[in-house]
């Protein structure tokens, strides 16, 4: 029998999850991160392959990575040719955008910039806001997720369920997260830094911590398409 309290708790974890872009300096213990990862590991995967590998960064290791990637990000700004050194390991986004996806992407971007008062011509503030990604939005914990590229596309689907579990388990414990594909282009810096094996591929990064509710960036609520627009009942 379904218990109303359980339903409410699960629904709240799902609906209150957001991509937080400002975090408090409040520490998150290793024990709490371990607990979240342990719960998340119950995610399903094809034939129970469990293709995920997680690197947790806190303290100096986190700060050193931030410094390295921010320096690379600044170098790209100074010379666009440098970007050729930093290519994503896989196509997270399409190479050619079409509607309605490009429309949703634009709405999301300008909603964020509009909230922060960043205009289309304000390249400096755009760059600064983008670089917030590479500071983990000040979160005390950074997570890097890798996979063995020998695994197939289905394993990325499995990985998504694992990452979603992390975000929901974090919410159940009063924390917030921000999953970040922005790190992917800098995998050549990240993987050696965390001690990954040569054959590992970066899937994405994530910020984890307690959201700063006083920062207006965390008031952004992204819309969702109504159920009747993406659902087809086949009778």
């Amino acid at each position: 029998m379904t218990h109303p309290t359980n339903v409410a708790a699960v629904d709240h974890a799902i609906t209150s999850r957001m991509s937080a872009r400002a975090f408090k300096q409040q520490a998150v213990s290793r024990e709490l991160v371990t607990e979240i990862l342990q719960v998340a590991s119950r995610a399903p995967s094809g034939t129970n392959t469990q293709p995920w590998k997680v690197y947790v960064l806190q303290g100096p290791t986190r700060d050193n990575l931030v410094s390295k990637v921010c320096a690379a990000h600044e170098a790209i700004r100074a010379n666009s040719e440098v970007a050729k050194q930093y290519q994503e390991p896989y196509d997270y986004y399409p190479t050619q955008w079409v509607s309605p996806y490009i429309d949703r992407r634009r709405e999301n971007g300008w909603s964020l910039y509009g909230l922060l008062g960043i205009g289309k011509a304000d390249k400096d503030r755009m760059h600064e806001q983008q670089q917030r990604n590479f500071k983990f939005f000040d979160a005390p914990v950074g997570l890097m997720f890798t996979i063995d590229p020998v695994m197939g596309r289905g394993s990325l689907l499995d990985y998504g369920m694992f990452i979603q579990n992390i975000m929901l388990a974090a919410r159940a414990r009063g924390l917030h997260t921000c999953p970040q594909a922005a790190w992917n282009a800098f995998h050549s810096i990240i993987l050696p830094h965390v001690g990954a094996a040569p054959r590992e591929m970066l899937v994405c990064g994530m910020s984890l911590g307690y959201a700063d509710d006083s920062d207006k960036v965390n008031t952004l609520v992204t819309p969702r398409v109504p159920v009747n627009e993406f659902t087809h009942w086949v009778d």
Side-chain angles (χ1 to χ4, degrees):
M1 180 181 293
T2 302
H3 195 290
T5 301
N6 293 340
V7 171
V10 173
D11 286 359
H12 180 264
I14 295 172
T15 57
S16 68
R17 186 215 63 80
M18 66 174 184
S19 293
R21 293 181 174 88
F23 290 85
K24 298 178 181 178
Q25 294 299 301
Q26 184 177 349
V28 181
S29 70
R30 176 175 293 199
E31 291 74 20
L32 184 52
V33 175
T34 300
E35 184 178 302
I36 289 170
L37 294 173
Q38 183 64 53
V39 171
S41 71
R42 295 304 307 173
S45 58
T47 63
N48 200 32
T49 50
Q50 304 173 68
W52 38 79
K53 190 168 186 179
V54 186
Y55 295 90
V56 183
L57 297 105
Q58 295 177 288
T61 58
R62 171 207 172 280
D63 298 344
N64 290 340
L65 180 63
V66 166
S67 295
K68 291 177 184 178
V69 175
C70 283
H73 188 235
E74 290 292 351
I76 291 172
R77 188 187 189 197
N79 180 3
S80 60
E81 287 296 307
V82 175
K84 294 177 181 178
Q85 300 176 27
Y86 302 108
Q87 299 297 315
E88 295 182 345
Y90 69 99
D91 294 331
Y92 184 92
Y93 292 110
T95 54
Q96 181 176 357
W97 287 91
V98 297
S99 291
Y101 315 111
I102 184 61
D103 307 311
R104 295 170 187 165
R105 177 184 173 90
R106 286 170 176 163
E107 179 186 22
N108 186 70
W110 292 120
S111 293
L112 174 62
Y113 288 147
L115 178 66
L116 298 176
I118 301 175
K120 293 183 178 181
D122 198 343
K123 303 301 183 183
D124 289 341
R125 291 192 62 198
M126 283 186 185
H127 177 78
E128 180 182 341
Q129 181 58 35
Q130 185 182 29
Q131 193 168 100
R132 294 279 296 151
N133 276 283
F134 310 126
K135 297 177 180 178
F136 292 107
F137 300 107
D138 297 328
V141 180
L143 304 175
M144 290 294 163
F145 302 99
T146 69
I147 191 171
D148 188 325
V150 72
M151 303 304 288
R153 293 182 183 180
S155 289
L156 289 176
L157 176 63
D158 300 338
Y159 221 124
M161 291 185 279
F162 171 65
I163 289 174
Q164 176 76 349
N165 271 6
I166 292 174
M167 295 188 285
L168 298 185
R171 283 303 301 127
R173 291 159 176 78
L175 289 86
H176 270 290
T177 55
C178 186
Q180 300 165 265
W183 291 98
N184 290 3
F186 299 103
H187 62 96
S188 62
I189 296 174
I190 296 165
L191 297 180
H193 182 86
V194 300
R199 66 180 294 155
E200 290 179 50
M201 181 181 80
L202 184 66
V203 175
C204 68
M206 180 184 288
S207 300
L208 171 69
Y210 294 95
D212 183 353
D213 295 328
S214 68
D215 195 310
K216 64 182 178 181
V217 73
N218 285 335
T219 65
L220 178 67
V221 178
T222 53
R224 292 297 184 270
V225 175
V227 172
N228 62 0
E229 289 191 24
F230 64 76
T231 304
H232 302 274
W233 297 94
V234 184
D235 298 321

